[in-house]
Amino acid sequence: MADVTLTIDGQSVTVPQGTTILQAAKMRLGMELPHYCYHPGLSIAGNCRICLVEVEKMPKLVTGCSTQCGEGMVVHTQSARAKEGRGGVLEIMLTNHPLDCPICDQAGECKLQDYYMTVGMHDNHVVFPKVHKKKIVPLPPHIVLDQERCILCSRCVRFCQEITKTNELTIAMRGTHSEIEAAGDGTIDNGYAGNLHEICPVGALTSTDFRFQARVWWLKSHKSVCPGCSTGCNTWVDDRRGEVKRLRARENASVNQWWLCDEGRYGYKSINAPDRLKTARVKKTDATSGTAIGEVWARLKTIAAKKGGFAGIASAQASNEDLFVFRRLVAHMGGVADFRIDDSLTKTQTRVDEILRRADKNPNTTGAKLLGFGDGPGVEAILKSAAEGKISALYVLDADRFDAAGWTDKLRAVRTKIEFVVMHATRECGALDLADVVLPAATYAEKDGTFTNYEGRVQRFWRAIRPIGDARADGAWLATICAEFDAADAALAKPAAAFNAVASETPALGDLRWEMIPAEGALIAPGAAPKDKVG
Amino acid sequence: MDHQTAHKLEPEGDAPRRPVRELTAGEAVYLVEAFKGLGVTFRHFIKNLFNRRELPTVSYPEEKRDYGERFRGRHVLNLREDGTTKCVACMMCATICPARCIEIVAEESPTPAIEKRPKSFVIDGLRCVMCGFCVDACPCDAIYMTGEYDFAEYAREDFLWDLTHLTRRPSLADAPRGYRPRIE
Ligand code: SF4
Ligand code: SF4
Ligand code: SF4
Ligand code: SF4
Ligand code: FES
């Protein structure tokens, strides 16, 4: 498409035809025009009018979000007229907006507060009473609506029309009495409702989950990746004093754009779960990390020395780094390993819907496959050879999933035939009774690492909080054990070292290195992913 | 000023010193001066015994001193007419508090018009520096400081002033006014 050249605040910029003034200012000048109704992921409504700018030769101020750039346009965003216009719009918005800030969850990240400081700062001219509307309208299961706080930007309405296509919301009544209303039974259970409270620029839509949990200025945000399915949506993990309070979508045009699904968004609760495992266990009694590790390597060394027969079962919840160190251990023990404790492998390419969700509920199936875990005999076969007395030591890297996938009873049946069983777990589960040693594992929010999503995109996630109790990353435990066989393996406790070691051994990763993984993730082996099917 | 610094401030080396007077013979005999001193003490004792109203000290705790209205004493959480606390758990006070001694947990209020209220509200009296910032920060006229200044307790836990203490401690009935925001 042809390009147009225009002048914004005295600077000449060239943008593709069809670009709006707001987008051009942001793209080329990094300048953020005030906006409420505009959202890059939704259609342009142009109804809030806070983005007013002055364009020479146009008689009136125009909205920056909906006016396309034209050849030779001269735009002033900071002229006295433009500023006065935006200030006036804000004043009108605040005529009926209640000053709920002490109660409102959005205080601290509210665009009304922000723009009042930058474009408002006016004295209140309003003499007549505010229009009152309904304050607490539940839109179960995730949302609470406050009609009074709503500025009718229609983002939420458009989200339900354009993204989920479920049309639960609409604007009813007219003029100052306009309000957001839910159609049908008043629920918004479309699997993506959490995005609504995230895109609402004011505190009109709040999250039942986060409501009144913390003031937002107390939260610290950390970049992360959702482990809820093989899409690997980019997230912000927000914590207060080491407790994760909420997840938010982190924009990544190549993966999740601006959205998260509800399952992923509210899935953080397992991190704070009351049944998190805090200490290591030897023979069902709590032990120090040192004792537990000592027990593991003493037993593994004798088993490795005499007859062998080692089997490892990982899961695709583990990061590439953790899996790599696990592979080292398997190699030292001369054993076999697999990761298919559920049917993740067959489901990687199956979508649950047209937006984000996938049937494979693991973040790293592709990574585990690339690391060679898919070439193993399979969990079924491992348990079968255990029944035949061919397995001396079993190492389960993710007891939580192992239990959830229903393997516990099958293992119990053959347990007496296995000399030594080690399990890593983040939470209590039935399988732990079958282990000689249990090591508490850190969740994804408590460690660094990478996941490789369904399309082969390697994405970094960052440690957000301290691991609970004695919990440590799987890779850190494993590296300590491996170091007993080969001192050099101790270095692999650091995810960066482990990743770079994987990368140098795995041709598919090319010359990708830890420090170079880009913000949008690195796509490896492009084209490897077969066509999606919607299941 | 601790002992060490006080010592350092004494003139050192060549710095000029106050000339020291030689003791007279009477002063050199210790007992004479000691009895003179006792005489001074006795004179004051007799004077105070018969002029008790001019005494600069008070007999605490029977007698209490009156401070100005702006005295920043122990906190109180203001109540609405219906007896619920005016606090909406906005955490402004906890945010501004330089001693970080205010811990609030918020919850949904059963009254929709109020929406939010504190589930727990604890001020750690041992950490509070009585600066009054919390009173200034409160947008809801909910937290005041009274004129209460007697803080003696038998256990450390008794210095954790919780919701009940802040709203309904017995002494509040006749607690003197203290620091509260000026409403204009
Ligand atoms: S509820 Fe929020 S997102 Fe929806 S129209 Fe109102 S202000 Fe906009
Ligand atoms: S689609 Fe998958 S990765 Fe994305 S938020 Fe949902 S569960 Fe998490
Ligand atoms: S008086 Fe000062 S130190 Fe004490 S609670 Fe209030 S803000 Fe904190
Ligand atoms: S500032 Fe006032 S309303 Fe807010 S939490 Fe403190 S006492 Fe409650
Ligand atoms: S952002 Fe332009 S009109 Fe709303």
Side-chain angles (χ1 to χ4, degrees):
Chain A
M1 215 185 278
D3 283 351
V4 292
T5 302
L6 70 162
T7 314
I8 301 178
D9 288 348
Q11 298 190 57
S12 165
V13 295
T14 307
V15 289
Q17 199 161 26
T19 312
T20 63
I21 295 174
L22 183 144
Q23 286 163 338
K26 174 142 201 207
M27 259 161 46
R28 296 283 184 268
L29 305 176
M31 186 173 77
E32 189 96 21
L33 276 179
H35 58 274
Y36 293 117
C37 68
Y38 172 76
H39 186 287
L42 302 171
S43 64
I44 287 166
N47 63 16
C48 76
R49 319 210 69 82
I50 192 75
C51 61
L52 292 178
V53 292
E54 187 179 354
V55 177
E56 278 181 18
K57 302 206 184 84
M58 288 211 186
K60 290 185 184 179
L61 299 178
V62 298
T63 50
C65 71
S66 60
T67 308
Q68 294 187 0
C69 298
E71 185 63 45
M73 246 185 192
V74 183
V75 181
H76 301 283
T77 70
Q78 304 301 322
S79 67
R81 253 184 91 206
K83 282 185 174 167
E84 194 197 342
R86 294 199 291 258
V89 169
L90 191 73
E91 191 175 346
I92 291 175
M93 276 178 178
L94 289 171
T95 50
N96 284 327
H97 188 88
L99 294 178
D100 270 346
C101 310
I103 296 165
C104 177
D105 263 351
Q106 194 91 356
E109 49 189 24
C110 169
K111 288 292 174 196
L112 280 173
Q113 287 182 337
D114 292 354
Y115 296 154
Y116 180 76
M117 298 312 284
T118 52
V119 307
M121 294 301 258
H122 49 263
D123 290 330
N124 188 8
H125 294 133
V126 181
V127 286
F128 41 87
K130 295 194 181 222
V131 174
H132 289 293
K133 297 177 194 167
K134 282 198 232 91
K135 295 285 300 169
I136 305 179
V137 184
L139 301 173
H142 299 300
I143 306 282
V144 177
L145 163 67
D146 184 329
Q147 293 177 333
E148 234 171 49
R149 284 183 205 150
C150 171
I151 53 157
L152 296 160
C153 71
S154 83
R155 277 188 184 186
C156 54
V157 177
R158 281 175 284 145
F159 181 86
C160 292
Q161 278 171 357
E162 295 161 17
I163 307 298
T164 61
K165 305 195 171 65
T166 43
N167 301 307
E168 288 100 340
L169 293 174
T170 182
I171 296 180
M173 309 299 278
R174 290 180 183 203
T176 46
H177 296 282
S178 292
E179 56 196 30
I180 293 293
E181 257 186 18
D185 61 357
T187 64
I188 306 188
D189 198 6
N190 56 27
Y192 289 87
N195 295 294
L196 293 173
H197 58 73
E198 201 170 302
I199 57 172
C200 180
V202 299
L205 298 174
T206 49
S207 149
T208 40
D209 181 61
F210 180 66
R211 219 166 136 82
F212 308 158
Q213 291 305 301
R215 300 317 314 251
V216 294
W217 55 84
W218 284 345
L219 301 176
K220 288 205 185 86
S221 303
H222 315 264
K223 288 187 217 164
S224 198
V225 172
C226 173
C229 80
S230 61
T231 304
C233 297
N234 291 211
T235 57
W236 291 105
V237 171
D238 289 354
D239 88 290
R240 168 151 205 249
R241 293 183 182 163
E243 191 184 331
V244 177
K245 293 285 187 191
R246 64 174 182 183
L247 299 187
R248 283 180 301 134
R250 180 160 60 94
E251 182 183 341
N252 185 337
S254 323
V255 182
N256 55 315
Q257 294 173 297
W258 301 269
W259 324 122
L260 291 183
C261 80
D262 291 344
E263 221 178 313
R265 183 186 297 273
Y266 304 115
Y268 72 89
K269 296 204 168 152
S270 58
I271 304 169
N272 309 328
D275 61 349
R276 276 294 301 279
L277 216 59
K278 298 196 182 77
T279 42
R281 258 178 231 165
V282 177
K283 302 250 176 251
K284 298 186 202 165
T285 30
D286 288 354
T288 62
S289 310
T291 319
I293 281 281
E295 173 79 6
V296 174
W297 63 253
R299 300 288 295 273
L300 288 188
K301 266 176 150 176
T302 39
I303 289 167
K306 68 182 192 214
K307 52 179 165 155
F310 178 90
I313 300 174
S315 87
Q317 286 284 320
S319 67
N320 288 322
E321 297 69 30
D322 294 349
L323 286 173
F324 176 70
V325 195
F326 195 42
R327 199 175 79 185
R328 295 284 299 178
L329 179 67
V330 178
H332 287 310
M333 296 294 300
V336 294
D338 206 289
F339 79 107
R340 292 165 291 173
I341 53 182
D342 49 22
D343 45 5
S344 52
L345 202 53
T346 57
K347 285 187 179 164
T348 9
Q349 301 311 136
T350 313
R351 307 188 74 133
V352 173
D353 56 37
E354 295 282 6
I355 309 172
L356 295 171
R357 288 180 292 173
R358 297 200 158 249
D360 173 12
K361 294 294 165 207
N362 296 298
N364 201 23
T365 306
T366 313
K369 224 168 74 184
L370 271 178
L371 275 153
F373 279 85
D375 308 332
V379 181
E380 190 84 59
I382 289 175
L383 292 180
K384 197 156 153 269
S385 32
E388 292 159 8
K390 289 189 201 141
I391 303 284
S392 319
L394 180 68
Y395 206 117
V396 180
L397 196 60
D398 184 353
D400 311 65
R401 292 274 152 159
F402 185 82
D403 188 66
W407 294 106
T408 304
D409 287 336
K410 291 178 183 146
L411 175 61
R412 184 171 289 120
V414 300
R415 178 63 188 85
T416 47
K417 304 260 174 67
I418 313 173
E419 217 172 285
F420 185 57
V421 176
V422 190
M423 288 186 187
H424 287 204
T426 62
R427 297 168 71 172
E428 291 293 347
C429 68
L432 301 186
D433 280 351
L434 304 175
D436 291 290
V437 177
V438 178
L439 300 176
T443 58
Y444 76 101
E446 296 159 336
K447 64 186 180 191
D448 286 285
T450 60
F451 290 137
T452 310
N453 82 349
Y454 73 97
E455 55 165 351
R457 187 178 294 276
V458 180
Q459 303 196 93
R460 269 279 323 251
F461 57 90
W462 282 258
R463 177 168 132 153
I465 55 173
R466 264 166 184 285
I468 193 165
D470 290 343
R472 287 158 75 186
D474 293 327
W477 286 121
L478 291 162
T480 323
I481 299 164
C482 287
E484 278 303 310
F485 295 94
D486 178 352
D489 285 350
L492 299 178
K494 291 216 163 55
F499 182 82
N500 289 340
V502 187
S504 58
E505 286 180 20
T506 316
L509 290 175
D511 41 16
L512 188 65
R513 288 297 174 270
W514 179 261
E515 311 74 37
M516 301 169 359
I517 303 172
E520 69 282 357
L523 197 59
I524 53 165
K531 268 242 162 312
D532 283 349
K533 51 182 190 293
V534 178
Chain B
M1 195 189 294
D2 65 87
H3 193 72
Q4 295 271 314
T5 28
H7 194 75
K8 269 198 211 117
L9 288 177
E10 300 246 299
E12 281 172 11
D14 296 338
R17 282 168 172 271
R18 197 153 46 104
V20 179
R21 181 172 62 83
E22 289 293 318
L23 293 182
T24 62
E27 286 165 348
V29 182
Y30 168 75
L31 269 183
V32 178
E33 289 299 309
F35 276 107
K36 269 193 189 169
L38 275 178
V40 173
T41 310
F42 192 68
R43 195 176 72 231
H44 280 286
F45 172 67
I46 297 295
K47 192 177 137 210
N48 288 340
L49 195 65
F50 296 106
N51 294 287
R52 285 190 57 189
R53 247 180 281 143
E54 283 161 36
L55 271 182
T57 52
V58 295
S59 325
Y60 182 85
E62 293 82 9
E63 252 178 71
K64 295 198 175 170
R65 208 188 264 288
D66 271 339
Y67 286 105
E69 287 230 318
R70 286 162 63 242
F71 182 79
R72 299 192 296 256
R74 198 190 292 229
H75 305 71
V76 60
L77 276 183
N78 209 5
L79 299 176
R80 299 192 184 88
E81 303 236 308
D82 63 357
T84 55
T85 166
K86 271 191 168 182
C87 170
V88 295
C90 71
M91 323 258 174
M92 288 299 158
C93 51
T95 303
I96 195 125
C97 176
R100 306 246 175 115
C101 63
I102 308 182
E103 270 300 321
I104 307 167
V105 179
E107 69 177 0
E108 192 95 33
S109 162
T111 321
I114 295 169
E115 275 192 79
K116 195 179 176 191
R117 68 175 185 190
K119 183 174 174 189
S120 77
F121 190 121
V122 180
I123 300 181
D124 183 344
L126 288 177
R127 285 175 66 182
C128 174
V129 293
M130 300 291 161
C131 61
F133 285 3
C134 49
V135 179
D136 287 323
C138 181
C140 302
D141 197 24
I143 193 164
Y144 289 174
M145 289 169 102
T146 61
E148 282 183 78
Y149 55 80
D150 26 13
F151 290 121
E153 303 281 2
Y154 286 106
R156 299 181 79 91
E157 305 83 78
D158 296 338
F159 285 98
L160 295 176
W161 305 329
D162 60 4
L163 258 181
T164 326
H165 177 91
L166 290 167
T167 53
R168 296 178 213 286
R169 61 174 178 271
S171 60
L172 277 181
D174 48 17
R177 277 178 66 104
Y179 186 48
R180 58 197 69 201
R182 227 187 337 209
I183 315 276
E184 270 146 29

